[in-house]
Amino acid sequence: MISTSRRWLRRNRTNFAISFGVLGAAYVAGQYVLSKITETRERMSSDRIAKENLRRRFQQNQEDCTFTVLALLPTAAENIIEALPVETITHELQQKKAERLGKSIGALGGTPSDLSSGPPSVTDDDGRSLASFQSEGYVHASQMAASASGDGAPELQRSQKSKAQLWNELKISSITRSFSLLYTLSLLTLLTRIQLNLLGRRNYLSSVVSLASPSPNESIISLENRDDDSIDPSYGNDFETNRKFLTFSWWLLHRGWRDIMEKVEMAVRETFGPLNPREDISLERLSALTLEVRRKVEGATPEERSARNWLPYLLPTRDEEDFVLRESGMSTSPPNPSPQTEFVPQPSTSPSLRRLLDETSDLIDSPPFSHILTILLDTTFSHLTDQKLCSQAFKISHPSPSATAPAPRIEEILDPKTPEDLAQAKTKFATILAVMTRQAHSIGNGVPNEYVQDMEAVRELEAFAAVVYSSHYEFEGPEIGDEGESEGVGTRKAVEVEEAPESVEAKVLGPDGSRKGVVDMAGSVFESVWGRVVGREDGAAMTG
């Protein structure tokens, strides 16, 4: 029996060897396939987590931009309102009216009731205009008290002005104040988007580089941005640099707004100067005059608007950067060192801060910035003219609801009119000035701020933020060695991020990486990415 089994095994040993070989190969192949499937599943899961993390970071960054604008806007609004004291001029007109009435009563030797039967030209026109302005206007009690108990010299200087001069000053100040606030709000929104998205991108890329090149002393890598912890600043996460960079919004809030106001005031004087506050004005003419002011400020053609230089309003020159840091409390260096002490010159900004400022300047000077600014101004001016002035000055119910408010299910039909009737509707110009006076406070201190909400609904603004946040960027860590060779955590990395947050994927490329040509986001690279984003949105709109 045993010999028979041995002979059977000896005859079939080749078949057994082949069978075991096939089974072994199948097992190895199966394990290889399973490992690849597991690896692919893990990679897809990590990519999905990375994309969701980036999307969450991006959305949170945009919310931070909105809150930052709402926190900074009252500072600029207070400066503009103080520079154009419409309420003080209104108080002076009231005083002049009271003095004129008192003199008329004394000259006629009658009572105030007798004055009402006097000539209409004496009381009716000015009385209606001023009463309309007072009833429609927005005057703070504190501002009226300040105008009544203010310095004697300004009051004496203003009291010497005639009634016509005061009305003209009231007209120019009311319009200039509202328009200047709209320009300041739009510029502040774009500047804040650029600043916070640049910092958000740096923090994200820093976390990616830290994850790809972990320190030997750290066993856990956190992707959360914790600026309050002790972070290694070598990857651009220097908290002090970020604070200094954000501080440069001080220039727009305390210096740039004045240049904007002067430019707007010049255009308003040229355009609205000939108008009399007593006369009637149609909505069509008001819109045409407003558009003329914008053409004088921004440019009459697309080429002029694209070539408009907004950088001096938003950022200081290099010679004034130290001044901004000192005024904002971020620098303790004395402006004028004493001759007795030896002065050691130091660089005004660190290389990291210098790069952030230069990149911000490049973005402001780019054509997409002017394009987005024009869209934001179209939105805010449309909200002021087509909604607020229509409903409050012309008493016309606007046909289309706000972009941020849901459409009501039941609407009351009030005096339906054709577009031609709406354009030809007329009202007193003094009433328009009163509405603009009130809207100036709504633009700067409104809660909720409808103008900010309308800008948040602009899709191009979010696309612009997405381009800034996730365009091609070359991230350089600290270099070690004399010839640029680096090792360890200081290895030079290039981090590339795709164009849109919805399909973002971070890839860390070493010095010997297969993909080359990762360059700084500036000039043609930024414009090409922006063109692809805009083209993608246009295509979606046409197919939608």
Side-chain angles (χ1 to χ4, degrees):
M1 183 67 180
I2 296 176
S3 60
T4 303
S5 300
R6 287 178 178 176
R7 287 194 300 271
W8 183 82
L9 291 174
R10 189 179 297 110
R11 287 196 307 268
N12 297 280
R13 60 184 178 183
T14 302
N15 296 331
F16 279 114
I18 294 174
S19 300
F20 282 122
V22 171
L23 291 177
Y27 177 79
V28 172
Q31 292 298 318
Y32 177 78
V33 171
L34 289 177
S35 65
K36 286 298 181 181
I37 293 175
T38 304
E39 180 182 352
T40 302
R41 185 183 296 113
E42 291 177 354
R43 184 171 63 251
M44 293 174 62
S45 177
S46 62
D47 290 346
R48 185 175 62 255
I49 293 174
K51 293 177 182 179
E52 183 62 29
N53 181 36
L54 180 58
R55 187 181 298 108
R56 177 181 57 82
R57 283 172 174 261
F58 177 76
Q59 294 297 336
Q60 182 62 45
N61 216 38
Q62 308 320 303
E63 294 179 4
D64 293 342
C65 291
T66 302
F67 292 135
T68 302
V69 169
L70 293 176
L72 296 178
L73 182 59
T75 301
E78 181 180 359
N79 293 332
I80 295 176
I81 290 176
E82 289 180 357
L84 298 169
V86 178
E87 292 78 10
T88 303
I89 305 174
T90 306
H91 181 65
E92 293 176 19
L93 284 171
Q94 291 174 352
Q95 290 180 339
K96 282 189 174 294
K97 179 184 178 183
E99 293 174 1
R100 187 172 64 253
L101 291 176
K103 291 179 181 180
S104 299
I105 294 174
L108 296 175
T111 62
S113 60
D114 297 333
L115 187 63
S116 59
S117 60
S121 60
V122 178
T123 59
D124 290 353
D125 291 340
D126 294 338
R128 289 199 191 102
S129 298
L130 188 56
S132 174
F133 192 90
Q134 293 169 357
S135 62
E136 297 288 345
Y138 186 96
V139 182
H140 285 292
S142 60
Q143 293 171 330
M144 293 301 300
S147 64
S149 60
D151 296 334
E155 285 292 329
L156 180 60
Q157 181 180 1
R158 288 187 178 276
S159 62
Q160 296 175 354
K161 295 183 179 180
S162 65
K163 180 190 64 177
Q165 290 175 334
L166 288 176
W167 270 111
N168 184 68
E169 186 175 350
L170 178 66
K171 173 185 62 179
I172 300 300
S173 298
S174 301
I175 302 174
T176 302
R177 192 163 74 170
S178 297
F179 288 2
S180 298
L181 282 169
L182 292 180
Y183 278 101
T184 303
L185 173 59
S186 300
L187 289 172
L188 179 62
T189 299
L190 277 176
L191 177 62
T192 305
R193 292 274 176 160
I194 291 175
Q195 286 182 316
L196 293 187
N197 281 287
L198 284 178
L199 294 182
R201 183 185 65 183
R202 286 166 58 89
N203 292 335
Y204 178 76
L205 297 179
S206 172
S207 66
V208 173
V209 173
S210 300
L211 183 63
S213 303
S215 174
N217 299 327
E218 297 181 358
S219 58
I220 299 177
I221 301 296
S222 176
L223 289 178
E224 296 296 330
N225 178 24
R226 299 174 181 174
D227 287 336
D228 295 333
D229 298 341
S230 57
I231 301 177
D232 183 9
S234 58
Y235 290 104
N237 251 338
D238 186 2
F239 181 61
E240 192 67 20
T241 299
N242 295 350
R243 288 182 58 197
K244 289 183 178 180
F245 177 58
L246 293 176
T247 300
F248 279 89
S249 60
W250 182 95
W251 182 260
L252 174 61
L253 300 178
H254 295 85
R255 291 293 185 272
W257 68 266
R258 187 174 298 276
D259 297 332
I260 296 173
M261 184 189 69
E262 293 175 355
K263 192 174 186 62
V264 172
E265 183 177 6
M266 185 182 304
V268 169
R269 287 187 182 276
E270 295 177 359
T271 306
F272 287 90
L275 285 180
N276 190 331
R278 304 177 187 177
E279 68 178 274
D280 294 338
I281 184 173
S282 64
L283 179 60
E284 183 179 11
R285 187 183 179 192
L286 177 64
S287 301
L289 293 175
T290 302
L291 182 59
E292 184 63 24
V293 171
R294 291 192 56 190
R295 287 174 177 171
K296 293 180 182 296
V297 176
E298 306 167 37
T301 63
E303 292 76 16
E304 292 180 359
R305 289 192 292 269
S306 178
R308 175 69 65 189
N309 184 17
W310 296 101
L311 184 60
Y313 306 106
L314 299 173
L315 291 178
T317 61
R318 292 200 177 190
D319 297 336
E320 296 173 312
E321 289 177 354
D322 287 340
F323 168 77
V324 172
L325 293 177
R326 285 195 304 268
E327 290 294 321
S328 58
M330 297 299 299
S331 176
T332 57
S333 60
N336 295 316
S338 59
Q340 290 78 10
T341 59
E342 183 180 358
F343 175 69
V344 180
Q346 297 180 355
S348 58
T349 56
S350 63
S352 179
L353 179 58
R354 178 78 270 148
R355 180 166 184 171
L356 282 171
L357 292 175
D358 290 343
E359 190 168 5
T360 304
S361 301
D362 293 338
L363 289 171
I364 294 173
D365 287 334
S366 64
F369 180 90
S370 300
H371 175 67
I372 299 300
L373 179 60
T374 302
I375 296 177
L376 294 182
L377 291 173
D378 291 342
T379 302
T380 53
F381 274 93
S382 175
H383 186 86
L384 175 62
T385 305
D386 300 336
Q387 295 189 28
K388 296 303 179 181
L389 292 179
C390 271
S391 60
Q392 299 179 19
F394 293 92
K395 307 303 180 183
I396 299 173
S397 179
H398 196 267
S400 61
S402 175
T404 57
R409 300 182 61 182
I410 300 177
E411 293 185 2
E412 183 180 1
I413 301 178
L414 297 175
D415 191 15
K417 296 181 179 180
T418 63
E420 292 76 10
D421 295 334
L422 295 177
Q424 296 300 327
K426 292 186 178 183
T427 188
K428 286 288 185 183
F429 189 46
T431 305
I432 294 176
L433 298 180
V435 175
M436 285 191 177
T437 300
R438 182 169 63 251
Q439 286 303 307
H441 294 276
S442 299
I443 297 171
N445 301 287
V447 179
N449 196 314
E450 298 179 4
Y451 295 87
V452 175
Q453 292 177 352
D454 280 1
M455 287 193 298
E456 291 298 316
V458 175
R459 296 174 62 248
E460 289 83 357
L461 179 62
E462 185 175 1
F464 179 79
V467 171
V468 176
Y469 192 88
S470 57
S471 295
H472 299 287
Y473 182 71
E474 184 179 4
F475 187 87
E476 296 183 7
E479 295 184 2
I480 303 177
D482 298 335
E483 298 180 359
E485 298 294 334
S486 55
E487 57 185 359
V489 296
T491 304
R492 180 172 178 173
K493 303 289 181 181
V495 180
E496 182 179 349
V497 184
E498 300 297 332
E499 298 89 61
E502 291 77 11
S503 61
V504 74
E505 179 181 1
K507 302 177 182 179
V508 180
L509 307 178
D512 299 327
S514 58
R515 298 185 64 181
K516 304 294 182 181
V518 183
V519 297
D520 294 342
M521 187 191 67
S524 59
V525 176
F526 174 77
E527 295 172 14
S528 62
V529 174
W530 168 253
R532 290 198 294 271
V533 172
V534 174
R536 184 184 308 169
E537 290 187 352
D538 294 342
M542 289 187 297
T543 57

